[in-house]
Amino acid sequence: AAWEKQVRHSSTPRRVNGFSVLVTGAAGFIGSHCSLALKKRGDGVLGLDNFNDYYDPTLKRARQNLLSKHQIFIVEGDLNDGPLLTKLFDVVPFTHVLHLAAQAGVRYAMQNPQSYVKSNIAGFVNLLEVAKAVNPQPAIVWASSSSVYGLNTENPFSERDRTDRPASLYAATKKAGEEIAHTYNHIYGLSLTGLRFFTVYGPWGRPDMAYFFFTKDILQGKPIDIYRTQDQKAVARDFTYIDDVVKGCLGALDTAEKSTGSGGKKKGPAQLRVYNLGNTSPVPVGRLVSILEGLLNTKAKKHVITLPRNGDVPYTHANVTLAYKDFGYKPTTDLASGLRKFVKWYVNYFGIESKHSKETQHFDESS
Ligand code: NAD
Ligand code: UGA
């Protein structure tokens, strides 16, 4: 296969600084940022992505181009392709897997429920089936989600809080992923670390997310919907900037212990961990919009509507004490500074002529 030639003839996936990491979802938002960060610090990285069209695949191709400039290769394939995954592990002795490929998005689960089951449940199981059989087993860090807290009313959310009331099928598949991880850890001694990300945003972000399409709609003069809860309270999110999340992912990889392996060779309990990676500071959606209005110097056409029953939860708020204790995770970017960087990227990427264009001439492609 083309990828095999590429991989065998490049130094890309080889271990440079100790790690050789398979990044699934590498053409995605968080995966592309993490791949670049790993590569920049000297680790070997190989990507896997199916380039599906859940959102505009041109953006995924643009991220792929950026990664290829940094000698990071992305194999085009699906998590559910067992022989392909086995072959990847045959060719490259991965020490770690950063598993970010998934069907993301909360509201789309009402339109296409099966895509969540296929990628987030069947695809995850397929990856674990392959990884458990590799010797030595790689340590796996995977993306869970703040959505597992569902209709939780504790505030802020701690890892020990209940997660038995998912509000969307997306949340249910992410919660299922955590249960599945538990069984693979228990039976096969796989080292597994789940990261519950909280509404991540930033440059190269996802066009299906509110901050992204609000920016587009505000610039095009189109109306936007701002949700309020049934009892007319503001809906809020613990929006987390991508660079903070990347640091958290690397910290989780760095502290992941090796697997113990299965059967009689088992030496001790392998690691199973779950962490919140949030910003610890929830912001109402209305405030997100007013920050964007300021940055874009344009008034939004706002429709404040009662939150439809669409899978959204009223608010999210992370307690990150555990991630701080175990790998020094500390979010440092507030929403206004992070959105400024996003808008700078947005106007540059889409070539929008505005007073911002001048400011962005020296845009750093990897920022
Ligand atoms: P993304 O959609 O940009 O990235 C996911 C990538 O995985 C995409 O490029 C997609 O093509 C690929 N993919 C999907 N299904 C696949 C499959 N079956 N086989 C191979 N590739 C597949 O999303 P993201 O925002 O970068 O999210 C990364 C991970 O973090 C996901 O697991 C998501 O559920 C989780 N997460 C994201 C957020 C957020 O706010 N961005 C919050 C919580 C959790
Ligand atoms: C985001 C991601 O899309 C999920 O993949 C991820 O798992 C989740 O974060 C998470 O933290 O686990 P969400 O918070 O719903 O999900 O992100 P957006 O779709 O960008 O919505 C942000 C906020 O804007 C939400 O409070 C939502 O209710 C609100 N919103 C959305 C509106 O007010 N109007 C809209 O038209 C759309």
Side-chain angles (χ1 to χ4, degrees):
W3 69 264
E4 203 180 334
K5 270 192 198 146
Q6 283 262 12
V7 167
R8 286 194 197 278
H9 292 98
S10 78
S11 62
T12 311
R14 297 221 186 96
R15 192 193 285 227
V16 183
N17 191 30
F19 289 2
S20 178
V21 189
L22 173 64
V23 179
T24 73
F29 169 43
I30 302 174
S32 58
H33 280 275
C34 286
S35 298
L36 283 169
L38 286 164
K39 182 76 185 180
K40 279 182 181 168
R41 70 175 200 179
D43 289 327
V45 180
L46 182 66
L48 173 74
D49 205 292
N50 69 2
F51 293 90
N52 69 56
D53 63 0
Y54 163 59
Y55 61 78
D56 186 6
T58 11
L59 180 57
K60 297 182 184 180
R61 294 295 174 190
R63 296 187 190 117
Q64 180 184 32
N65 282 340
L66 175 59
L67 264 56
S68 71
K69 285 185 194 149
H70 295 264
Q71 287 78 50
I72 302 167
F73 188 75
I74 302 179
V75 176
E76 189 161 347
D78 198 281
L79 287 173
N80 286 295
D81 185 343
L84 171 66
L85 294 191
T86 303
K87 182 98 187 165
L88 285 174
F89 280 95
D90 281 349
V91 174
V92 187
F94 294 110
T95 56
H96 296 74
V97 179
L98 181 58
H99 173 50
L100 302 173
Q103 177 59 58
V106 175
R107 294 169 289 279
Y108 180 66
M110 294 168 74
Q111 284 158 254
N112 189 354
Q114 295 303 340
S115 66
Y116 290 79
V117 177
K118 275 184 201 142
S119 290
N120 307 359
I121 299 182
F124 189 34
V125 169
N126 197 48
L127 173 69
L128 295 173
E129 279 293 316
V130 173
K132 79 168 202 224
V134 175
N135 190 10
Q137 291 172 338
I140 299 172
V141 174
W142 93 97
S144 183
S145 156
S146 73
S147 66
V148 301
Y149 292 109
L151 303 171
N152 193 12
T153 49
E154 303 290 324
N155 188 3
F157 305 162
S158 294
E159 289 82 353
R160 283 162 184 253
D161 290 350
R162 61 189 287 197
T163 54
D164 57 349
R165 287 170 296 184
S168 65
L169 183 72
Y170 169 71
T173 62
K174 285 293 178 177
K175 162 78 170 160
E178 294 188 358
E179 311 288 9
I180 289 163
H182 185 269
T183 64
Y184 276 79
N185 170 263
H186 171 69
I187 301 174
Y188 303 108
L190 271 171
S191 162
L192 282 148
T193 304
L195 302 175
R196 293 175 179 167
F197 302 141
F198 284 67
T199 316
V200 189
Y201 70 98
W204 296 99
R206 269 170 44 204
D208 63 310
M209 288 183 69
Y211 72 95
F212 198 117
F213 64 75
F214 282 172
T215 299
K216 183 174 182 224
D217 292 344
I218 292 170
L219 286 170
Q220 294 180 354
K222 292 188 184 149
I224 58 172
D225 290 335
I226 299 177
Y227 298 150
R228 287 178 74 83
T229 61
Q230 303 282 336
D231 48 358
Q232 298 307 305
K233 290 198 192 107
V235 169
R237 286 290 178 274
D238 198 3
F239 297 102
T240 310
Y241 189 62
I242 182 66
D243 291 1
D244 288 323
V245 168
V246 168
K247 279 186 213 147
C249 292
L250 269 51
L253 286 166
D254 288 342
T255 51
E257 277 167 15
K258 295 242 166 60
S259 302
T260 54
S262 57
K265 284 170 278 175
K266 195 166 173 176
K267 290 184 194 91
Q271 219 172 12
L272 179 72
R273 310 180 294 172
V274 174
Y275 296 101
N276 287 342
L277 290 188
N279 196 48
T280 73
S281 168
V283 175
V285 178
R287 171 78 190 129
L288 166 88
V289 172
S290 53
I291 296 171
L292 287 175
E293 289 180 316
L295 290 168
L296 300 167
N297 199 18
T298 311
K299 277 270 159 237
K301 292 188 182 133
K302 289 173 269 197
H303 290 170
V304 178
I305 64 165
T306 301
L307 183 60
R309 198 161 277 194
N310 62 2
D312 280 1
V313 294
Y315 67 86
T316 62
H317 183 185
N319 172 326
V320 300
T321 316
L322 199 60
Y324 178 71
K325 185 167 85 51
D326 286 4
F327 46 86
Y329 173 76
K330 206 175 175 182
T332 59
T333 313
D334 64 72
L335 186 59
S337 326
L339 283 177
R340 176 176 294 278
K341 293 185 186 173
F342 165 71
V343 166
K344 201 172 163 183
W345 169 82
Y346 185 97
V347 297
N348 184 71
Y349 180 79
F350 291 103
I352 291 163
E353 280 299 321
S354 74
K355 60 186 180 41
H356 295 278
S357 312
K358 285 200 182 72
E359 288 172 30
T360 56
Q361 273 171 3
H362 304 292
F363 173 73
D364 170 7
E365 56 169 9
S366 62
S367 71

